Amino acid sequence: MGNALRLMAVDGAAHALGLAPGMALADARARCPALMTLPVDPEADARELARLISAMARFTPMVSADPPNGIILDITGCAHLFGGEAGLVRQAVALAAYTCRPALADNAAAARALARHGGRNTNVRVLPVAALDLPDEALAALRRAGLHTIGDLARRPMQPLAARFGAETVLKLRHILGEVASPIAPHRTLPPNRLEARLTEPVIRTEDALEVIEDLLVQAAREMEARKLGGRRFVATFCRSDNARRRLMVETGHPVRDPAIVLRLLRERIETLADPLDPGFGFDTIGLTIPRAEPLPSRQIGLGDEQEEGADSLAALIDRLGVRLGTDRVRRIVPCDRHLPERAQALEPAMSTQTGIWPVAEHPPRPPMMFDPPQPIEVIAEVPDGPPHRFRWRCKLHEVRLYEGPERIAAEWWRRKGGEGARKAGLTRDYYRIEDACGRRYWIFRHGLYDETPQPRWYLHGLFA
């Protein structure tokens, strides 16, 4: 029974047929042979709950999650904007587009208890003791003592209740009764930085407009530093006195909040515009928005860390090339979750956040230069499965002086689809790092073992420096 599949949630139609969460799937199918089920997906449920929370922010900024399927809204001072409490509830239920059980109460704990256990009741004192959300053993002890409702507990002195049933029982009871505050932690994201400068006299020079942008960048840097954030996308908006508007956007490969870096990228963007930034009769409003920001902790400076300076220089170069050539044309090599050498990396936009993390080398290093595809060679080697003694590549014979290996890499058997090509792709590889008599180093492999194929082939895959 412990390993039986059970229902986690049911809809209204299933509930009308007598099905309920916790029921064994076999019993549910016996009652309803046409029952349609889906496997539970907690991650998808969490994403959907987060989406609903973001949608509910239109009613109040104080929105909190009540996992696994609840949302708590503090609508104090907000209900009149939506036609009163009843109107707000109707709009929230319509926006959710799910079967909802709304409840209103003076505190979050009471509203939660009414929504989950109240039905049509609006008085928390008539709710069952299950509304306390205590462990099953504690609930059973309360029922054995003849305490079946919240009101039964509320009429007893708190000190004897705590001594007999535990302090947690009394604390949750006082939360529901409103004797102890039950604040909620709003689940909201910080709004993007948005700054605007309204000028008394329009500016007619681009340089003057950029000076205004620089002042806005300085203000934004202070705000982001206080929040330990750095911008990844910066949008400058230039509004002319004739209501024409021009937007310029620049992106960075890493979070930054240095005004000089962003200003230099904006200048690069202006220089590459096919349609120049025309002030016309002047810009009277200039705005700066940072719609995309990421964590950027403070960093100690002044110690002359050359490695960090080099990384910053590379990031600045990537940003400038991305502005001039386009973000999709500047790419970097990122690791892939594939163990075959030629498929263990891919090219992605250099400003992409999904750059991956190169793992610490637990295996022998790969050569810096690899051939795609590997080049076939002729090899004299010990059999079966022995190291190479000499090989011929590009019509030249190489004597093997030193070798290291083999490093065995199995095939990706789960990707086979049949056919001759799949059979060849499903062969094992034995890689050797070898050095010839002239001191040159190569990375070669035998494609297939002798118990997999009667004639294994050899290939040169890379050259070491």
Side-chain angles (χ1 to χ4, degrees), residues 166-408:
E168 182 183 7
T169 301
V170 173
L171 180 61
K172 290 193 173 183
L173 174 63
R174 298 187 66 187
H175 276 303
I176 291 180
L177 295 177
E179 298 177 1
V180 176
S182 54
I184 66 173
H187 183 87
R188 60 181 180 181
T189 56
L190 293 175
N193 286 315
R194 183 175 299 171
L195 302 171
E196 189 176 77
R198 297 183 178 272
L199 308 176
T200 55
E201 293 291 337
V203 295
I204 59 176
R205 296 177 62 247
T206 303
E207 285 298 323
D208 295 337
L210 289 177
E211 289 181 3
V212 176
I213 288 291
E214 185 176 9
D215 294 338
L216 296 178
L217 286 170
V218 172
Q219 299 178 39
R222 295 196 195 101
E223 296 181 7
M224 289 191 295
E225 185 174 9
R227 294 158 56 182
K228 297 189 181 304
L229 294 175
R232 287 286 309 274
R233 182 178 298 154
F234 298 82
V235 180
T237 306
F238 302 89
C239 301
R240 295 194 321 197
S241 55
D242 58 354
N243 293 328
R245 178 174 296 188
R246 190 68 180 271
R247 296 174 70 253
L248 297 179
M249 183 186 71
V250 294
E251 292 184 286
T252 61
H254 300 277
V256 298
R257 54 173 175 255
D258 186 353
I261 295 177
V262 182
L263 192 63
R264 183 174 66 245
L265 294 178
L266 285 173
R267 293 182 185 276
E268 295 273 357
R269 174 68 72 192
I270 292 174
E271 292 177 2
T272 57
L273 289 176
D275 183 13
L277 189 64
D278 182 14
F281 292 101
F283 299 117
D284 57 2
T285 303
I286 299 177
L288 175 68
T289 306
I290 308 175
R292 182 177 175 184
E294 295 179 1
L296 179 62
S298 300
R299 189 181 66 181
Q300 184 176 358
I301 60 176
L303 296 181
D305 192 333
E306 296 180 358
Q307 184 176 0
E308 291 187 358
E309 292 177 0
D312 292 343
S313 300
L314 178 60
L317 176 61
I318 292 175
D319 295 341
R320 296 184 65 181
L321 291 176
V323 169
R324 286 184 173 271
L325 306 177
T327 57
D328 293 336
R329 296 185 179 182
V330 182
R331 298 176 176 267
R332 72 174 74 188
I333 298 177
V334 297
C336 299
D337 191 15
R338 303 286 293 273
H339 69 281
L340 293 181
E342 65 271 21
R343 299 176 183 173
Q345 59 275 326
L347 289 175
E348 288 190 3
M351 293 186 183
S352 172
T353 57
Q354 304 295 330
T355 55
I357 299 176
W358 290 100
V360 178
E362 298 179 355
H363 302 288
R366 300 287 186 258
M369 177 180 178
M370 297 179 63
F371 295 108
D372 185 18
Q375 299 190 6
I377 56 176
E378 299 176 3
V379 175
I380 297 178
E382 296 180 357
V383 292
D385 305 339
H389 290 297
R390 62 174 63 93
F391 67 95
R392 186 181 300 275
W393 175 49
R394 294 179 178 176
C395 301
K396 184 176 180 181
L397 188 63
H398 300 265
E399 294 287 341
V400 176
R401 185 170 67 91
L402 298 172
Y403 76 89
E404 184 180 5
E407 177 192 354
R408 181 159 294 180

Side-chain angles (χ1 to χ4, degrees), residues 11-126:
D11 59 7
H15 187 268
L17 295 174
L19 307 185
M23 179 181 291
L25 180 60
D27 296 339
R29 291 195 183 279
R31 290 193 180 191
C32 182
L35 179 66
M36 298 180 62
T37 62
L38 292 173
V40 64
D41 190 348
E43 294 183 358
D45 292 343
R47 290 194 298 270
E48 181 64 11
L49 184 62
R51 185 191 68 81
L52 289 175
I53 289 173
S54 299
M56 293 300 161
R58 64 174 296 185
F59 302 109
T60 171
M62 300 293 289
V63 185
S64 177
D66 182 25
N69 53 8
I71 302 175
I72 299 175
L73 287 77
D74 185 350
I75 60 174
T76 304
C78 303
H80 69 281
L81 300 174
F82 303 94
E85 294 178 349
L88 189 149
V89 169
R90 285 195 302 270
Q91 295 182 47
V93 171
L95 180 62
Y98 285 99
T99 302
C100 301
R101 298 173 61 181
L104 296 171
D106 294 335
N107 61 81
R112 182 184 188 279
L114 288 170
R116 295 187 180 275
H117 303 277
R120 296 183 180 274
N121 295 321
T122 58
N123 185 359
V124 294
R125 291 178 178 267
V126 301

